[in-house]
Every structure is written in C-alpha cells, then in structure tokens.
Amino acid sequence: MASNSSKRFLIFFDFDETIVDETSDDQVVLAAPGQHLPSWLKDTYQPGRYNEYMQRVLAYLWEQDVTESDLRGVMEKIPATPGMLTLLQFLRVRRAQDFEVVLVSDSNTFFIESWLRHTGVRQVFHRIFSNPATFNRNGQLILRPFHSHDCPRCPVNMCKQAVVRDYVTHRTQERGRPFQRVFYVGDGANDFCPALTLGARDVAFPRKNFPMHRLITETHEATPGVFKAVTVPWTNAEEVAAHLKKLLAE
C-alpha cells in the first residue's frame, strides 16, 4: 500500500447537496415536533450567522426531548446525490495508491459522521473539517464554530478557502512535494471561495446549475483569468468518477 506521501492527487468534497442530496441542517427539522420549527425561532436567523442560528435550533430540539438517536436516525435517512456512492466506492478502491480524500463542510461533525458511518464510506476520508458538534452530559448536541476569519465572502464561522489553502500548504510541507493535481467537488456559494485557490492543472467539479457553477460562469464572463481551474460540471457524480479515471490513464 502506498504511503500518504506518495499519493498523486488531493480531492476535497463538500457535504450538503454534494455528497448528500439535501441540506442536513434543514433535514434535522424532521426530528422536531410536527416536523417544523416555530416562527419565533426561524425569525432569529441573521445572514452570515447560520451557525449561531443552528445552535439555537439544536437547543430547541433538546428542550423538546429530541434525543441523540432521533437526530442520528434523521441523518441516516438522507439520500446520497445521484452517482455519489459509485464515486466514493471508486475512491475507496483507488485511495491507497492515488487519492487523498478530504471533506470540508459548514454542516457539523455529528451530522456528517452519522451519515458516513451508516453508509459505510467513513474510511474513504483522510480528514473531515467541519463545525464541531458533541453531546454534553445532559444529552444536548452542542455546536461550535469551526474558526474565525476575515474573508468577506464567507459565513463568520467558516471560510473553506482558508481550510483548503492551509491544508494544501501543510500537506505539501509534510510530503516534501506538491500533489500533481487538486480537485474540489461542491455545489454552494461557499464552495466557490476555496475553488479560487485551484491552479490551471487542477479541476473544479461544481454541481451543474447550482450556485458554485453559476459563480464560476459569472467570473469567467466578468473577469477572465481569475478562476484558473478546469471546470467540469456534473449532474450525476459518476461523471466525476469518469473524469478522474481518464486522468489516471494519462
């Protein structure tokens, strides 16, 4: 088996609406009484401060006697995006030789780990970067922000570009050489920011007609040359696997 230092490629994944076909923060509402949140709670949301809003949502669910098992059960039922399990299976087979696989998400560690372990794909991922979420002794899921940053494009609790940039720099230093190519698979506006760090040999895989794809298209039109990566939009994640297989054959 090849060591981590010999893998040729680094691939980043978003989670919500990229690996899974829903937003996990929205799905957790299914655990609430009547499967909806009260208006007074929804009205507390402020743009760019979704993490703080979800802290209040999780506190409300705990007050309504929603348990760890209830939350896990909701997460486990979220469907994968079309073709995603095929792509992850391909990476599970190839990761020993070729791919270091990293997940970067503005969801939280409990939601993500619950889904990955239930689906049997946790071992595909070398690292997971997300907002930490752990249960306290009273059984309440406590959510915290991932970090603080000064990027004007991103929510206050997470700039994925900072995560990707720091990880690539750190791993390049550890390995003593860069990866041949870096890939990023995502869908949202907050996936556009990290994809800006990709170089001309790298590949961005935006979900077709989702915000990340639209932002890349708009950037190409407004300021050609700013977004450097090759762009391969996808509807079914098997298209991502097919492109990766083609690169492996080069």
Side-chain angles (χ1 to χ4, degrees):
M1 180 178 290
S3 69
N4 282 335
S5 63
S6 65
K7 293 178 183 178
R8 294 190 286 161
F9 306 118
L10 174 60
I11 182 166
F12 291 97
F13 280 85
D14 170 49
F15 183 68
D16 290 327
E17 296 193 283
T18 296
I19 291 177
V20 293
D21 209 14
E22 303 284 351
T23 299
S24 54
D25 284 347
D26 291 343
Q27 292 298 106
V28 78
V29 175
L30 297 177
Q35 298 191 336
H36 72 273
L37 300 176
S39 297
W40 64 262
L41 178 55
K42 290 188 283 189
D43 289 345
T44 66
Y45 168 68
Q46 295 177 296
R49 297 188 171 274
Y50 200 80
N51 184 266
E52 296 170 22
Y53 169 70
M54 281 306 300
Q55 292 174 34
R56 294 189 290 272
V57 169
L58 293 172
Y60 169 78
L61 293 176
W62 177 74
E63 291 165 359
Q64 301 302 310
D65 297 323
V66 174
T67 66
E68 176 178 349
S69 178
D70 295 333
L71 294 175
R72 183 179 285 107
V74 168
M75 291 304 119
E76 291 174 351
K77 290 184 176 68
I78 302 176
T81 52
M84 185 55 64
L85 295 181
T86 300
L87 170 57
L88 294 177
Q89 174 61 23
F90 163 72
L91 290 171
R92 176 161 52 188
V93 172
R94 298 297 312 212
R95 70 188 291 268
Q97 309 102 293
D98 296 304
F99 294 98
E100 184 164 312
V101 189
V102 177
L103 197 157
V104 185
S105 169
D106 198 12
S107 178
N108 68 70
T109 54
F110 174 74
F111 289 0
I112 293 168
E113 292 274 3
S114 295
W115 192 89
L116 294 179
R117 292 184 186 283
H118 176 73
T119 315
V121 293
R122 174 62 184 89
Q123 67 271 36
V124 173
F125 295 92
H126 183 70
R127 287 289 302 274
I128 294 173
F129 295 99
S130 190
N131 302 296
T134 52
F135 288 88
N136 66 14
R137 65 181 62 186
N138 296 319
Q140 180 180 348
L141 184 58
I142 304 298
L143 174 66
R144 297 184 302 282
F146 179 77
H147 63 187
S148 59
H149 62 87
D150 55 8
C151 175
R153 282 186 293 264
C154 292
V156 296
N157 61 290
M158 177 177 264
C159 172
K160 293 185 178 182
Q161 181 178 130
V163 177
V164 167
R165 188 179 58 241
D166 291 350
Y167 187 81
V168 170
T169 300
H170 172 68
R171 291 294 291 125
T172 299
Q173 290 172 345
E174 278 190 337
R175 289 158 48 91
R177 59 178 173 166
F179 289 93
Q180 289 181 20
R181 283 191 171 97
V182 178
F183 308 118
Y184 193 101
V185 187
D187 75 285
N190 67 346
D191 295 312
F192 173 72
C193 192
L196 282 168
T197 68
L198 301 179
R201 282 179 53 80
D202 302 329
V203 184
F205 293 100
R207 196 171 180 187
K208 191 173 184 178
N209 296 327
F210 278 66
M212 181 188 180
H213 186 207
R214 291 195 291 270
L215 285 167
I216 292 171
T217 302
E218 290 168 7
T219 302
H220 280 312
E221 293 171 354
T223 51
V226 169
F227 192 88
K228 298 179 179 63
V230 176
T231 303
V232 180
W234 59 279
T235 301
N236 186 303
E238 291 184 24
E239 299 163 58
V240 178
H243 193 86
L244 295 176
K245 289 174 186 176
K246 188 166 66 174
L247 291 178
L248 286 175
E250 289 182 357

